[in-house]
């Protein structure tokens, strides 16, 4: 039986618990901590019928992107 260290869970313990990382990532996918991400495009980026030119700001919403059915089979379900 593996007990918890008195100081809490350290990085070494977490590396032996991959399901914890998967659970946290899935929770973050459904409930992102940031409303928007803003980045400069360093090269042209295709976006549907359009293209974001290099040097322009690209703004995305993780809450929308993480629920796209073409990327996630059941986008509204915690998996």
């Amino acid at each position: 039986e593996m007990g918890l260290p008195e100081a809490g869970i350290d990085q070494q313990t977490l590396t032996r618990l991959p399901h914890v990382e998967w659970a946290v990532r899935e929770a973050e996918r459904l409930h992102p901590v940031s409303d928007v991400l803003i980045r400069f495009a360093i090269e042209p980026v295709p976006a549907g019928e359009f293209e974001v030119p290099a040097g322009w700001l690209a703004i995305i919403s993780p809450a929308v992107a993480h629920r796209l059915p073409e990327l996630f089979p059941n986008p509204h379900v915690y998996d």
Side-chain angles (χ1 to χ4, degrees):
E1 180 175 313
M2 179 173 58
L4 294 178
E6 287 186 29
I9 297 176
D10 60 5
Q11 184 65 36
Q12 183 179 10
T13 302
L14 281 175
T15 59
R16 295 192 315 260
L17 303 170
H19 291 94
V20 172
E21 180 181 353
W22 301 341
V24 170
R25 288 182 179 270
E26 185 65 355
E28 289 175 334
R29 180 185 72 82
L30 288 174
H31 304 285
V33 296
S34 179
D35 293 329
V36 296
L37 297 174
I38 303 171
R39 302 287 187 270
F40 280 103
I42 58 172
E43 58 186 46
V45 178
E49 300 175 26
F50 304 97
E51 181 176 274
V52 178
W56 280 33
L57 280 177
I59 302 173
I60 66 160
S61 169
V64 173
H66 293 171
R67 293 177 187 252
L68 293 172
E70 56 269 23
L71 299 177
F72 301 96
N74 297 303
H76 300 290
V77 175
Y78 178 90
D79 185 15

